[in-house]
Amino acid sequence: MAIFVLIPGGWQGGWVYQKVADLLTAGGHTALPITLSGLGDEAAPTANLDTHINEVVEVMMAQQEKVILVGQSYGGMVVSGAADAVPSQIGALVYVDAYVPDDGDSLWSLTTPRFRDVFIAGATADGLTCAPPAHLDPRCRPHPIGTFLQAITLSGRWRKVPRKTFIGAFGWEGSPFRDLHERLSRDPEWSTFAFDCGHNVARLNPKALVEVLLTQV
């Protein structure tokens, strides 16, 4: 049986993976949905990308076997950093409609002008956090803006993880991930999947996501 560490996207907590976690647990696996600093009950306005990466590394190091590390959207930044820190702790990486950075990239540098405008508008209240867009789940929390702005430092060790998968969700307008999906689909080191659903795959298509996750076991 496998251990799945599940990292949500911006503004969201581990609750976004509840359906996925239930399905994995029903199959006898261990599912660990993570709520990163500032995205739960306690605010952490000064958290940055390194903060979130280190939290995930701690979770992985506490496990007795390799994990399957999953990141949605912003979570792709976090899983890349965690995988670069301890690639030996990871059996597979799964990016779910997520950013896949190179050394020196930030979410800000990788995303589109549309989402940069969302971040700017969301940060007007205090300059430290980005308020969630109004259409999101009411459980969403203001996201520490430093995690969106900080450039990631990668040595390239994350590429040693033996299995890397990218899932593109193409049922929504304005996705910043279409070109990335196309590029990775031509890379022999990657497996790619395309879902016809909105960006929030864990909530909109949990069964299909779990089917892909189980191919990593």
Side-chain angles (χ1 to χ4, degrees), residues 91-114:
L93 287 171
V94 182
Y95 293 79
V96 185
D97 220 30
Y99 298 93
V100 181
D102 289 321
D103 182 51
D105 286 334
S106 65
L107 187 146
W108 177 271
S109 72
L110 291 174
T111 200
T112 59
R114 168 190 174 186

Side-chain angles (χ1 to χ4, degrees), residues 164-176:
K164 294 178 281 291
T165 296
F166 187 91
I167 298 170
F170 297 140
W172 63 291
E173 294 293 329
S175 170

